Amino acid sequence: MGISKLNLLYKETVLDHAQHPRHHGKLSAATSHLELRNPTCGDVIDVQAQIEADTIVDLTFDGIGCTISQSSASMMTVALIGQSVTNARELITSFSKLTIGESISTQADESLGDAAILGTVAQFPARIKCATLPWHALDELLEKWETQK
Amino acid sequence: MGISKLNLLYKETVLDHAQHPRHHGKLSAATSHLELRNPTCGDVIDVQAQIEADTIVDLTFDGIGCTISQSSASMMTVALIGQSVTNARELITSFSKLTIGESISTQADESLGDAAILGTVAQFPARIKCATLPWHALDELLEKWETQK
Amino acid sequence: MDNGLNNSRLDFKILAQNINDEPLVYLDNAATTQKPKAVLQSIINYYEHDNANVHRGVHTLSQRSTNAFESARDKITAFINAPSRETVIYTRSTTESLNLIATSFGNLVVEAGDEIVISPMEHHSNLVPWQQLAAKKHAILKYINLTVDGELDMNHARQQITDKTKIVAITHASNVLGVVNPIQEITKLAHQHGAYMICDGAQSVPHMKVDVQLLDVDFYAFSGHKMLAPTGIGVLYGKVELLQAMQPIQFGGEMIDFVHSQSASWNELPWKFEAGTPNISGAIALGSAIDYLTNLGMQNIQNYEQKLVNYVLPKLLKIDGVTIYGPHNPTNHTGVISFNLDNLHPHDVASGLDMEGIEVRAGHHCAQPLMEYLNVAATVRASFYFYNTKADADRLVNSIQTVKEFFNNGDI
Amino acid sequence: MDNGLNNSRLDFKILAQNINDEPLVYLDNAATTQKPKAVLQSIINYYEHDNANVHRGVHTLSQRSTNAFESARDKITAFINAPSRETVIYTRSTTESLNLIATSFGNLVVEAGDEIVISPMEHHSNLVPWQQLAAKKHAILKYINLTVDGELDMNHARQQITDKTKIVAITHASNVLGVVNPIQEITKLAHQHGAYMICDGAQSVPHMKVDVQLLDVDFYAFSGHKMLAPTGIGVLYGKVELLQAMQPIQFGGEMIDFVHSQSASWNELPWKFEAGTPNISGAIALGSAIDYLTNLGMQNIQNYEQKLVNYVLPKLLKIDGVTIYGPHNPTNHTGVISFNLDNLHPHDVASGLDMEGIEVRAGHHCAQPLMEYLNVAATVRASFYFYNTKADADRLVNSIQTVKEFFNNGDI
Ligand SMILES: Cc1ncc(COP(=O)(O)O)c(C=O)c1O
Ligand SMILES: Cc1ncc(COP(=O)(O)O)c(C=O)c1O
């Protein structure tokens, strides 16, 4: 098969998000932020969110990572800005399911937008952690926010 | 083969020493004593020696052990009382060799007396430690004596 | 019962050999068990197809290896009904598991004047670590007495466990006496007094269904090699909030979150306690051992061993000159039977039995304080597993007679 | 060289498989090596004929098992030229060996204000234990700088190691940079200042002849799994008088001399440090791995790997966009080669290579402080062993080109 199989993972949209990450950098109006590491490889992601009235008003990310984690982070910001915290956490669960090859509702798939494309990572088990790292970070951030509010 | 093979180990002389141990008990005139344990089984041997002018004038043993270790201790006292410390340590080495099936000089064999019979323990590897425990104890005692004199 | 439970004996090639020209009867299962073909095959399969280091690479072999290693953890989690996989930590052995608790958790909770309560039937591995902890912390090590039958005296337990007690550490099943302790009850007692309950499961997990949540113990330890798996792999279960509060005691690969030149932070549970390359093939083989045991059924194993004990214990008790330690009633007696014969030293008896092809253990069974308590220097121990048969039991009984006669009825 | 040194490749069944439909090229040997048939067979032989617990019984199986376990120790003793078997202690791994030294020996000799000297190229396992010890004892952890080539700066070593230094802990061979450190020289320096020398041999013992007496180190640690043996077995060598002075840190079976209800005494070396049932089959398999390596000849292995490096390193250096970390001169460069490609993240590169059947590692290699020092987040690492071939090297070089093209020359 060889390297061409990688086309399944590194699709054009994925590369586009990696090359031109959306919502990358610091968020001055952030109400909370969370840093998460992949202890296996040392990659770091820093997620910053501005949450108001139970809604993610704005969201950015920062850090060091591979194409997949950077692209996934960019897609995540696009999908989740404007969502309620509850919806966002449900979408995070949906995304996690996609990455291990489970099916999700059409509605969730639509809401995930570009990010749904990363479902093909299920065929590259060693890279699932790369894809989910930013989403785990945001999920932890939202969980903390919920318990503190 | 079955249990009859044990006759090789539990010879009449061996049983005689176990049933009627020579020089068993405390030695009031002891100049040094040493206790050694077999950590595997908890057996304990206490060797007491009266050493004068580099000669083992008297020697006794005490403790808890199986037929082989008790019999071996008894035979040891018979063989080594009256020996110089140097000779005794050499005989201890000879006895150790016997128990792992190595040959020794005729002279050493004669000096060991009854104890030489225990050479058959070489065919019962699990019991070698039982046979050598008292001799190791005495060797340690003599080594200490030598460094302290 | 000719070939053990469900003909399982046939899965153990080692059993089909002669020892001293007599067919082997392996009755040293409390020390370690034999390994079925399926477990050995799982080791070979792993090394012939998937071997790589875990948690460390993005390549295919590393992924396969990590999956196999972690799914063995899931099997263990289910097997002992642990609430989650993060509560199941790989160690080398029961001994290492108990030392980890005594060092890390003991350090956290025990203070000068506190009491640690154990029993005289503990294996050295569930005894010396508490002695050491007590000495270091100026705490007090107390023992719960045994009844004349060798069971834990629960009345005395109620006296010994007090509000001063910080830790209670008791074995689930004795490796000498064949008794099973009422862990659920002792745990309740410990918790009523605000103490933590630690249970040594080395002799229970291989022989009965264990549910750590039902027992409600705070920690539980056991070894793979006593339950069909290879040596070098053991398990520590702990309640998640306690494990989270504890500090690791070994540092290095795997257990790291981030390392700077002058400081470091730790990975999440369960990896926080798994420093360095773990025993990957051992863990995978333990998973395969659990599959094998689950397939036989833990209740079936327990029933089968009970039947063997019902059969053999009365026969042993009838031999003139045999003294049995522990309960004489076969009901609720595990397959561990300790005895002495006449005035013979256990070594002499075991050598005699070995000549007959029967492998039993002689010694203090790493329970010297129990020997002192029983006022013996050592005992002979025969311990059964599900691949032993009534024929094995008969061979044991007959050979004890032979040994007795060889040694002139103990009059050597 | 088609089938590795002496056709050894054929002894490794795992190598004859496809990964992602391409023939496997295993280049993650620094993480763990593959196991030859003879080593796997030694495990199966043991379990099919001799399995029993060691040091614990008078029966035949127990004796066979103890003999096999202890004669493996004799093989290790000879392999590293240790002065006596009592100086060779079985552990789980390099990590456990180093932690044992840091905890037991560190506790004995390090005091407030003392200095511990290490290097930025240490694996977390030879770094975090010293951090922890330093923090606990209020000692100071100092680093010896590296030269621009990634070698230990011996001039700086002479500044950093002073009369205040209590412990110097340095790896024999780097698991990232491919350098071998002048341990004999550093040991002399340490001893001149009254410091103890501890050496991490995880990446050296598998690849070159090591003589611990010639090196004159005080402690030496290595892992079985990086030298053909299974996971779960490692070695700690120590000078006998130091080991004798040290206290055990795990307590239980095997390491006991006598246990009373309130006190205990320890067994002799080497067992004093081997609490609980050890990894018996792992030790025996390590003995068999040593037989295999000795048969090939350590000098032959080193020469063969040197030839591979002479061949592949210049080819890698020629690829446009490849950055090699560590010395660029192939002479004295071990088979461990770390690099990055263009601006690609190592994960992306390793995934690409994996699709081509080439297993390399991507990440920090448990050496985060070194990554910081090199100012990279992570690297790709290819590591060779004697069963690798020139064809493997060619496949690596060609596939890096393929990966480069796939990712548009790094312009993804
Ligand atoms: C230099 C070095 N030291 C220590 C270790 C740790 O070895 P282990 O994981 O077997 O404990 C490794 C391997 O990962 C290593 O390469
Ligand atoms: C009750 C009990 N606890 C602890 C142990 C120690 O187990 P391991 O030697 O596997 O650490 C044993 C077995 O020897 C045992 O029977």
Side-chain angles (χ1 to χ4, degrees):
Chain A
M1 186 160 1
I3 204 161
S4 59
K5 192 188 166 193
L6 271 195
N7 284 318
L8 259 174
L9 181 57
Y10 294 84
K11 294 192 172 161
E12 236 172 83
T13 320
V14 173
L15 295 178
D16 181 59
H17 275 273
Q19 284 155 0
H20 313 288
R22 328 296 199 259
H23 312 104
H24 186 269
K26 307 251 171 268
L27 182 60
S28 52
T31 52
S32 41
H33 87 115
L34 194 129
E35 190 181 282
L36 202 65
R37 293 191 194 94
N38 180 347
T40 318
C41 60
D43 283 357
V44 192
I45 188 109
D46 187 15
V47 174
Q48 317 204 349
Q50 181 186 353
I51 305 176
E52 269 159 30
D54 285 13
T55 297
I56 303 176
V57 176
D58 206 354
L59 183 62
T60 68
F61 77 99
D62 210 351
I64 296 166
C66 62
T67 305
I68 303 303
S69 71
Q70 296 292 300
S71 174
S72 182
S74 169
M75 290 163 161
M76 174 180 81
T77 58
V78 175
L80 299 188
I81 288 174
Q83 298 282 357
S84 74
V85 169
T86 316
N87 276 356
R89 295 199 68 190
E90 272 169 22
L91 286 171
I92 292 170
T93 306
S94 297
F95 181 77
S96 286
K97 282 186 178 169
L98 269 188
T99 63
I100 53 170
E102 289 180 19
S103 60
I104 60 170
S105 72
T106 332
Q107 204 196 333
D109 196 286
E110 272 170 22
S111 304
L112 285 175
D114 284 355
I117 291 171
L118 269 179
T120 58
V121 80
Q123 290 168 65
F124 302 84
R127 305 302 298 278
I128 294 172
K129 268 197 189 164
C130 309
T132 52
L133 187 68
W135 302 71
H136 281 322
L138 181 60
D139 198 41
E140 246 183 62
L141 183 155
L142 296 177
E143 193 182 359
K144 281 208 180 132
W145 180 86
E146 279 182 336
T147 54
Q148 277 160 15
K149 87 170 166 178
Chain B
M1 183 161 1
I3 205 163
S4 59
K5 191 187 167 193
L6 269 196
N7 284 316
L8 259 176
L9 182 57
Y10 294 85
K11 293 193 174 163
E12 236 171 84
T13 321
V14 172
L15 294 178
D16 181 57
H17 275 274
Q19 282 155 3
H20 312 289
R22 327 297 199 256
H23 312 103
H24 186 269
K26 307 251 171 268
L27 181 61
S28 50
T31 52
S32 41
H33 86 116
L34 194 128
E35 190 181 281
L36 203 66
R37 294 192 194 93
N38 181 345
T40 319
C41 60
D43 283 358
V44 192
I45 189 109
D46 187 15
V47 174
Q48 318 204 347
Q50 182 187 352
I51 305 176
E52 269 157 31
D54 284 14
T55 298
I56 302 177
V57 176
D58 206 354
L59 184 61
T60 67
F61 77 100
D62 209 353
I64 295 166
C66 62
T67 305
I68 303 304
S69 72
Q70 296 291 299
S71 175
S72 181
S74 168
M75 290 162 161
M76 174 181 80
T77 57
V78 174
L80 300 188
I81 287 175
Q83 299 280 358
S84 73
V85 169
T86 317
N87 277 355
R89 295 199 69 188
E90 274 170 18
L91 286 171
I92 291 170
T93 306
S94 298
F95 181 78
S96 285
K97 282 186 177 169
L98 269 188
T99 63
I100 53 170
E102 290 181 16
S103 60
I104 60 172
S105 72
T106 332
Q107 204 196 333
D109 196 283
E110 271 169 24
S111 304
L112 285 175
D114 285 355
I117 292 172
L118 269 179
T120 58
V121 79
Q123 291 169 64
F124 301 85
R127 304 303 297 279
I128 295 173
K129 266 196 190 165
C130 308
T132 52
L133 186 67
W135 302 70
H136 281 323
L138 182 59
D139 199 41
E140 246 183 62
L141 182 154
L142 297 177
E143 193 181 0
K144 281 205 180 136
W145 180 86
E146 280 181 335
T147 54
Q148 279 162 12
K149 85 168 170 181
Chain C
M1 299 179 87
D2 285 1
N3 281 314
L5 179 60
N6 281 0
N7 283 324
S8 51
R9 189 185 184 86
L10 308 175
D11 295 332
F12 297 79
K13 192 175 164 194
I14 191 172
L15 298 177
Q17 71 175 308
N18 283 355
I19 293 289
N20 295 312
D21 298 326
E22 304 287 340
L24 165 63
V25 175
Y26 184 76
L27 293 177
D28 196 14
N29 292 292
T32 200
T33 65
Q34 302 303 338
K35 324 301 172 197
K37 220 181 324 175
V39 168
L40 298 181
Q41 197 53 51
S42 74
I43 300 172
I44 299 302
N45 277 348
Y46 169 70
Y47 282 122
E48 287 190 345
H49 298 101
D50 307 326
N51 175 55
N53 214 323
V54 292
H55 302 137
R56 294 201 179 183
V58 301
H59 62 72
T60 300
L61 290 183
S62 153
Q63 193 57 35
R64 280 196 214 151
S65 169
T66 305
N67 281 352
F69 179 71
E70 291 298 339
S71 67
R73 198 192 305 271
D74 291 331
K75 289 179 191 179
I76 299 164
T77 306
F79 190 63
I80 59 170
N81 193 32
S84 72
R85 67 193 321 279
E86 62 193 321
T87 64
V88 172
I89 292 156
Y90 288 124
T91 64
R92 173 176 35 245
S93 60
T94 306
T95 301
E96 187 174 51
S97 300
L98 292 167
N99 275 278
L100 173 51
I101 310 168
T103 305
S104 174
F105 186 68
N107 221 39
L108 201 63
V109 301
V110 174
E111 289 167 20
D114 285 351
E115 296 179 351
I116 300 169
V117 177
I118 64 173
S119 90
M121 74 168 89
E122 300 312 315
H123 187 281
H124 292 164
S125 298
N126 196 31
L127 196 159
V128 188
W130 305 118
Q131 267 186 4
Q132 293 293 313
L133 177 65
K136 191 177 149 199
K137 293 284 188 166
H138 305 286
I140 297 143
L141 184 67
K142 287 165 68 178
Y143 285 80
I144 301 170
N145 288 342
L146 307 185
T147 65
V148 282
D149 241 20
E151 296 186 337
L152 213 61
D153 181 341
M154 286 304 292
N155 285 327
H156 195 234
R158 275 180 281 273
Q159 288 167 34
Q160 293 293 75
I161 300 173
T162 70
D163 285 355
K164 285 188 163 176
T165 309
K166 238 351 156 8
I167 282 176
V168 179
I170 301 286
T171 192
H172 200 161
S174 164
N175 68 322
V176 177
L177 301 168
V179 302
V180 179
N181 292 315
I183 295 302
Q184 217 178 342
E185 203 181 329
I186 306 168
T187 304
K188 214 173 271 169
L189 200 54
H191 287 169
Q192 275 164 9
H193 291 283
Y196 296 98
M197 178 70 198
I198 290 150
C199 186
D200 172 353
Q203 297 294 343
S204 44
V205 176
H207 301 282
M208 60 192 75
K209 178 78 201 131
V210 168
D211 181 331
V212 292
Q213 293 189 78
L214 191 68
L215 294 174
D216 198 27
V217 290
D218 297 295
F219 295 96
Y220 200 89
F222 57 100
S223 294
H225 72 94
K226 294 182 199 282
M227 53 188 286
L228 310 182
T231 46
I233 188 78
V235 172
L236 170 62
Y237 157 79
K239 284 190 179 161
V240 70
E241 63 277 14
L242 302 180
L243 292 174
Q244 267 159 355
M246 283 159 63
Q247 282 300 310
I249 56 172
Q250 290 193 13
F251 310 92
E254 309 280 341
M255 56 72 68
I256 285 303
D257 173 30
F258 209 83
V259 181
H260 296 284
S261 68
Q262 298 290 342
S263 65
S265 54
W266 317 138
N267 199 343
E268 310 177 321
L269 288 175
W271 305 290
K272 180 170 90 173
F273 294 104
E274 297 178 357
T277 301
N279 188 347
I280 306 168
S281 60
I284 292 170
L286 176 54
S288 152
I290 285 175
D291 289 342
Y292 189 97
L293 291 169
T294 307
N295 194 35
L296 281 179
M298 291 313 294
Q299 190 58 53
N300 296 334
I301 290 173
Q302 195 177 349
N303 295 347
Y304 180 88
E305 290 178 25
Q306 182 65 67
K307 264 198 268 180
L308 275 180
V309 174
N310 288 346
Y311 179 77
V312 73
L313 192 56
K315 281 191 201 292
L316 289 171
L317 282 164
K318 258 190 229 133
I319 301 175
D320 202 35
V322 163
T323 309
I324 302 269
Y325 305 98
H328 290 193
N329 182 345
T331 314
N332 294 326
H333 194 300
T334 70
V336 175
I337 303 176
S338 290
F339 63 94
N340 270 319
L341 178 59
D342 296 320
N343 292 318
L344 293 171
H345 189 283
H347 274 187
D348 296 317
V349 176
S351 273
L353 291 173
D354 184 38
M355 292 304 131
E356 296 280 305
I358 294 164
E359 310 295 70
V360 296
R361 197 170 157 206
H364 54 61
H365 318 293
C366 297
Q368 288 177 337
L370 179 59
M371 298 295 120
E372 256 182 72
Y373 193 93
L374 296 173
N375 203 17
V376 294
T379 76
V380 185
R381 180 185 71 187
S383 52
F384 292 79
Y385 208 15
F386 60 81
Y387 42 67
N388 289 119
T389 62
K390 274 193 181 171
D392 290 347
D394 288 335
R395 288 272 309 281
L396 172 67
V397 170
N398 294 336
S399 298
I400 291 175
Q401 290 286 5
T402 311
V403 169
K404 199 173 145 72
E405 282 154 27
F406 178 85
F407 287 114
N408 296 315
N409 289 312
D411 184 30
I412 54 163
Chain D
M1 296 181 89
D2 286 0
N3 281 313
L5 179 60
N6 281 0
N7 282 324
S8 52
R9 189 185 183 86
L10 308 175
D11 295 331
F12 298 79
K13 192 174 163 193
I14 190 171
L15 297 177
Q17 71 175 308
N18 283 354
I19 293 288
N20 294 313
D21 298 324
E22 302 289 339
L24 165 63
V25 174
Y26 184 76
L27 294 176
D28 196 14
N29 292 291
T32 200
T33 65
Q34 300 304 338
K35 323 301 171 196
K37 221 184 319 174
V39 167
L40 298 180
Q41 196 54 50
S42 74
I43 301 172
I44 299 303
N45 277 348
Y46 169 70
Y47 282 122
E48 287 190 345
H49 298 100
D50 308 325
N51 175 55
N53 214 322
V54 290
H55 302 136
R56 294 202 177 182
V58 301
H59 63 72
T60 301
L61 290 184
S62 153
Q63 193 56 36
R64 280 196 214 151
S65 167
T66 305
N67 281 352
F69 178 71
E70 291 297 339
S71 65
R73 197 192 306 269
D74 292 331
K75 290 179 190 178
I76 299 164
T77 307
F79 190 64
I80 59 170
N81 193 32
S84 72
R85 66 195 319 282
E86 63 194 320
T87 63
V88 172
I89 292 156
Y90 288 125
T91 64
R92 173 177 34 244
S93 61
T94 306
T95 301
E96 187 176 49
S97 299
L98 293 167
N99 276 278
L100 173 50
I101 311 169
T103 304
S104 173
F105 185 68
N107 221 40
L108 201 62
V109 302
V110 174
E111 288 166 22
D114 286 349
E115 296 180 351
I116 300 169
V117 176
I118 64 174
S119 90
M121 73 168 89
E122 301 310 315
H123 187 281
H124 291 164
S125 297
N126 196 32
L127 196 159
V128 188
W130 306 117
Q131 267 187 3
Q132 292 293 312
L133 177 64
K136 192 178 146 197
K137 293 281 189 170
H138 306 286
I140 297 142
L141 184 67
K142 287 166 68 179
Y143 287 79
I144 300 170
N145 287 342
L146 307 185
T147 66
V148 281
D149 240 20
E151 295 186 340
L152 213 60
D153 182 341
M154 286 304 292
N155 286 327
H156 195 234
R158 275 179 282 272
Q159 288 168 32
Q160 292 295 73
I161 300 174
T162 70
D163 286 353
K164 284 188 165 176
T165 308
K166 239 352 157 9
I167 282 176
V168 179
I170 301 285
T171 193
H172 199 161
S174 163
N175 68 322
V176 177
L177 300 169
V179 304
V180 179
N181 292 315
I183 294 302
Q184 219 178 340
E185 203 181 328
I186 304 167
T187 303
K188 214 173 272 169
L189 200 54
H191 288 169
Q192 276 163 7
H193 291 282
Y196 296 98
M197 178 70 197
I198 290 150
C199 184
D200 172 353
Q203 297 294 343
S204 45
V205 177
H207 302 282
M208 59 191 76
K209 178 77 201 133
V210 169
D211 180 331
V212 292
Q213 293 189 77
L214 192 70
L215 294 174
D216 197 28
V217 290
D218 297 295
F219 295 96
Y220 200 88
F222 57 99
S223 295
H225 71 94
K226 293 184 199 282
M227 52 187 288
L228 310 181
T231 46
I233 188 78
V235 173
L236 169 62
Y237 157 78
K239 285 192 180 161
V240 69
E241 63 277 14
L242 302 181
L243 291 173
Q244 267 160 356
M246 284 159 60
Q247 284 298 311
I249 58 171
Q250 289 193 14
F251 309 92
E254 310 279 342
M255 56 72 67
I256 284 304
D257 173 29
F258 208 83
V259 181
H260 296 283
S261 68
Q262 297 292 341
S263 66
S265 54
W266 318 138
N267 199 345
E268 309 175 323
L269 289 175
W271 304 290
K272 180 170 89 173
F273 294 105
E274 297 178 356
T277 301
N279 187 349
I280 305 168
S281 60
I284 292 169
L286 175 53
S288 152
I290 285 175
D291 289 342
Y292 189 97
L293 291 170
T294 307
N295 194 36
L296 280 180
M298 292 311 296
Q299 189 58 55
N300 296 335
I301 290 172
Q302 196 177 346
N303 294 347
Y304 180 89
E305 290 177 26
Q306 181 66 67
K307 265 198 269 180
L308 277 180
V309 174
N310 288 346
Y311 179 78
V312 74
L313 192 56
K315 282 190 197 295
L316 289 172
L317 282 163
K318 260 189 229 133
I319 302 175
D320 202 38
V322 163
T323 308
I324 301 269
Y325 305 98
H328 289 194
N329 182 346
T331 314
N332 296 325
H333 195 297
T334 71
V336 174
I337 303 174
S338 290
F339 63 95
N340 269 319
L341 179 58
D342 296 321
N343 292 319
L344 292 171
H345 190 282
H347 273 188
D348 295 319
V349 177
S351 273
L353 292 173
D354 185 39
M355 291 304 131
E356 296 280 304
I358 294 164
E359 309 295 69
V360 298
R361 197 170 157 206
H364 53 61
H365 318 294
C366 297
Q368 287 175 340
L370 178 59
M371 297 296 119
E372 257 181 72
Y373 193 92
L374 297 172
N375 203 15
V376 295
T379 77
V380 185
R381 180 185 71 187
S383 52
F384 291 79
Y385 210 14
F386 61 79
Y387 43 67
N388 289 119
T389 62
K390 275 192 183 173
D392 290 347
D394 288 334
R395 287 274 308 281
L396 172 67
V397 171
N398 295 335
S399 299
I400 291 174
Q401 291 286 9
T402 312
V403 169
K404 199 172 144 72
E405 283 154 26
F406 178 86
F407 287 115
N408 297 315
N409 291 312
D411 183 32
I412 56 165

